[in-house]
Amino acid sequence: MTPAAGPMPKTGPMEDVRDRGAEAEGRWSPPPHATQTVPRRGLLARLDASAGVRILDLCAPAGYGKTLFAAQLRDRWLARGLPVAWLTLDPADAEEGALEQALTTAQDKIRAIPSGGSALLVLDGLHSLEPARLTPLLEGLVRRLPAAVRLVLTGRVPVKAGLAPLRARGLVLDLRPADLCFSREDMQYLFNHALGPAEQQELEHLTGGWPVAVQFARRWWQRRGDRARLSHLADALADDTADYLEEEVFARVDAALMADAVRLSVMDRLGPEPVHHLLGQDESWYRLLDNVALGPFLRPLADEQQHFAMHPTLALALRRCFQRLPHGERLALRRRAAVWCQRRGDLIGAVRHAMKAGDADLAAQLVEAAGGAQEIWMRFGYGVIKALDDMLDAAILAAYPRMKLLHALTLLKTGRLTEARNAFEEARRDTRDFTEEPRGGDC
């Protein structure tokens, strides 16, 4: 899907090559924006390698840069003197005859195609209209599309427009969320190549490459005096991305499914079994997976079939909503999550949930059920011992003195021998040589 002639002009990081003429605003040109444009060289290279493609279908949730990328294609065509038509759809097109007239006007703009050249037609925001209204007109447009016209479609939900036969012939290129995520090259470009390996990894972990989240991160980074560190990025993104998701995504999800999504945010991985364990039914899982607004934010896990993880920014936003649930409900969900993690052999996750539920007894019992300090050391190693020791506070150690063995092993591993011996002797004393708990009962 390449213009007929001429190279794409080079642009600097802060340059916007969009024309500033009379059509700078309105539905006949891309909407204005103030963010730094990232030249999507990787996507453009894919298009250049797909010379036979006639239709580009950009389908992804809000914030994936669909419109901005389509605008880059438009700029590419305009820079080579080729005809371009841009049409932004809106709910007003649902009125009788409105969309038909708009499509006719758009096609009139690209009728004068130079010999051997091509034209570009962009239809932006297909999700603005109901499929029953949109699909018949799109199907007719695709059937009548001249061979020299390249069609770009953008929207948040898949549309049926008679594209299946064209896909079978290799004439359609579909770009979905995974394709539209920012690459490492894109992120470095946006941050003026100032990110070190650790900052790059942190940015990828927190944003998942979601373009709007990376843009939020860049704004935060610009405001900071110490621009070399992203240590507090998670807190900044939690607010910015949560506000964006609540307005652009959550508002389009029915209340019952949204409430279940908030409850499920307590889990690190999702699937039929964990959802059933947490909610007592798995219908919500399948509804979530199929939902056009939330489903694309679920990512399959490579280590287990039918299990998914929430996109990190979605998880941050939903967990902010989770904190608004009644206190008792939050604790009950945490306890269920702890039990689920224990069944899966995820001891760290189980204890973490128990501690967040304020259930110190459950946390200690989970450690004991895993075999105590010695068994955990042999089965899982020092890393798990250290993680557990970091979570168990003084109150738990006092109530369950055998837990002091975890602390003793951690101190021993770090070379603090005297402190390790003291912790070991305290555990022995408080349990009568590891035979009796302070609360009574056989140890």
Side-chain angles (χ1 to χ4, degrees):
M1 194 175 200
T2 308
M8 184 177 181
K10 294 181 179 180
T11 64
M14 296 303 292
E15 183 180 359
D16 183 359
V17 300
R18 189 159 310 147
D19 62 298
R20 302 295 199 267
E23 291 186 347
E25 295 184 2
R27 69 185 312 191
W28 303 108
S29 63
H33 66 92
T35 57
Q36 177 178 346
T37 302
V38 178
R40 307 300 299 272
R41 296 188 180 95
L43 295 180
L44 292 172
R46 286 184 61 179
L47 289 178
D48 290 342
S50 307
V53 167
R54 293 176 55 195
I55 299 175
L56 176 63
D57 184 16
L58 303 167
C59 182
Y64 273 89
K66 304 177 294 296
T67 298
L68 286 177
F69 181 58
Q72 289 189 25
L73 294 178
R74 172 182 178 270
D75 294 337
R76 216 182 192 202
W77 252 262
L78 288 174
R80 297 172 187 180
L82 298 173
V84 170
W86 180 287
L87 173 61
T88 299
L89 281 65
D90 61 55
D93 289 320
E95 297 179 7
E96 185 69 28
L99 182 56
E100 292 84 346
Q101 179 59 48
L103 289 173
T104 298
T105 301
Q107 292 176 81
D108 287 342
K109 293 174 178 285
I110 56 173
R111 294 201 186 280
I113 303 175
S115 177
S118 60
L120 184 72
L121 173 58
V122 179
L123 301 182
D124 183 41
L126 300 184
H127 56 273
S128 301
L129 295 177
E130 292 295 329
R133 174 79 175 109
L134 181 64
T135 301
L137 292 176
L138 277 183
E139 289 177 343
L141 174 66
V142 169
R143 283 196 304 269
R144 299 189 303 270
L145 196 68
V149 174
R150 304 295 180 261
L151 177 63
V152 177
L153 307 174
T154 81
R156 299 179 184 179
V157 297
V159 295
K160 295 181 179 179
L163 300 183
L166 298 179
R167 281 193 178 94
R169 292 159 54 192
L171 301 179
V172 179
L173 178 61
D174 298 296
L175 295 183
R176 298 299 184 253
D179 306 299
L180 294 168
C181 282
F182 276 163
S183 66
R184 290 189 174 184
E185 178 187 357
D186 295 331
M187 295 185 199
Q188 286 288 359
Y189 181 91
L190 197 59
F191 282 77
N192 296 325
H193 300 278
L195 298 177
E199 285 77 26
Q200 176 80 53
Q201 185 176 9
E202 180 73 1
L203 186 64
E204 292 176 6
H205 170 70
L206 290 174
T207 67
W210 186 31
V212 72
V214 179
Q215 290 281 8
F216 283 139
R218 177 181 173 272
R219 292 181 193 175
W220 174 87
W221 178 78
Q222 283 185 311
R223 293 194 300 264
R224 282 178 58 87
D226 178 11
R227 296 186 179 182
R229 296 178 62 84
L230 295 176
S231 56
H232 301 290
L233 177 58
D235 292 336
L237 279 181
D239 292 333
D240 288 338
T241 58
D243 290 341
Y244 185 89
L245 284 166
E246 287 184 12
E247 293 179 13
E248 296 293 333
V249 178
F250 297 168
R252 294 167 173 80
V253 181
D254 72 78
L257 181 58
M258 193 66 222
D260 282 343
V262 170
R263 297 183 182 100
L264 292 173
S265 68
V266 75
M267 304 290 278
D268 293 326
R269 60 176 61 213
L270 297 173
E273 298 88 355
V275 170
H276 190 278
H277 175 83
L278 199 71
L279 302 181
Q281 46 85 10
D282 56 12
E283 177 187 355
S284 295
W285 164 243
Y286 296 107
R287 291 186 62 215
L288 181 64
L289 193 61
D290 293 338
N291 186 266
V292 295
L294 295 176
F297 286 98
L298 300 175
R299 299 182 165 188
L301 294 171
D303 62 345
E304 190 167 0
Q305 288 186 337
Q306 293 188 327
H307 278 237
F308 293 70
M310 288 185 178
H311 188 286
T313 52
L314 176 67
L316 279 173
L318 290 176
R319 285 166 188 166
R320 190 172 80 163
C321 299
F322 181 85
Q323 295 305 315
R324 303 172 192 161
L325 294 177
H327 180 70
E329 183 178 3
R330 293 202 311 272
L331 299 188
L333 289 168
R334 287 285 187 189
R335 290 190 184 98
R336 290 179 208 161
V339 173
W340 172 255
C341 289
Q342 181 200 27
R343 291 178 181 176
R344 289 185 49 80
D346 178 9
L347 181 59
I348 293 177
V351 173
R352 174 170 55 84
H353 282 299
M355 293 299 293
K356 289 188 176 182
D359 195 335
D361 288 344
L362 176 59
Q365 290 162 11
L366 290 169
V367 174
E368 291 286 2
Q374 302 95 317
E375 182 70 19
I376 294 171
W377 179 279
M378 290 185 290
R379 288 176 57 195
F380 303 109
Y382 171 70
V384 172
I385 290 282
K386 177 66 168 62
L388 293 173
D389 183 51
D390 289 342
M391 287 188 282
L392 301 178
D393 57 24
I396 294 181
L397 297 181
Y400 292 87
R402 283 212 307 175
M403 297 298 101
K404 292 178 182 178
L405 289 177
L406 290 171
H407 190 51
L409 288 171
T410 301
L411 294 170
L412 183 66
K413 184 69 175 179
T414 55
R416 297 157 67 181
L417 303 184
T418 301
E419 294 174 78
R421 177 180 290 276
N422 291 338
F424 178 83
E425 293 298 340
E426 286 180 15
R428 171 188 284 179
R429 181 196 65 216
D430 293 342
T431 59
R432 296 191 181 185
D433 288 330
F434 307 108
T435 63
E436 184 177 293
E437 291 285 7
R439 299 179 179 183
D442 191 356
C443 195

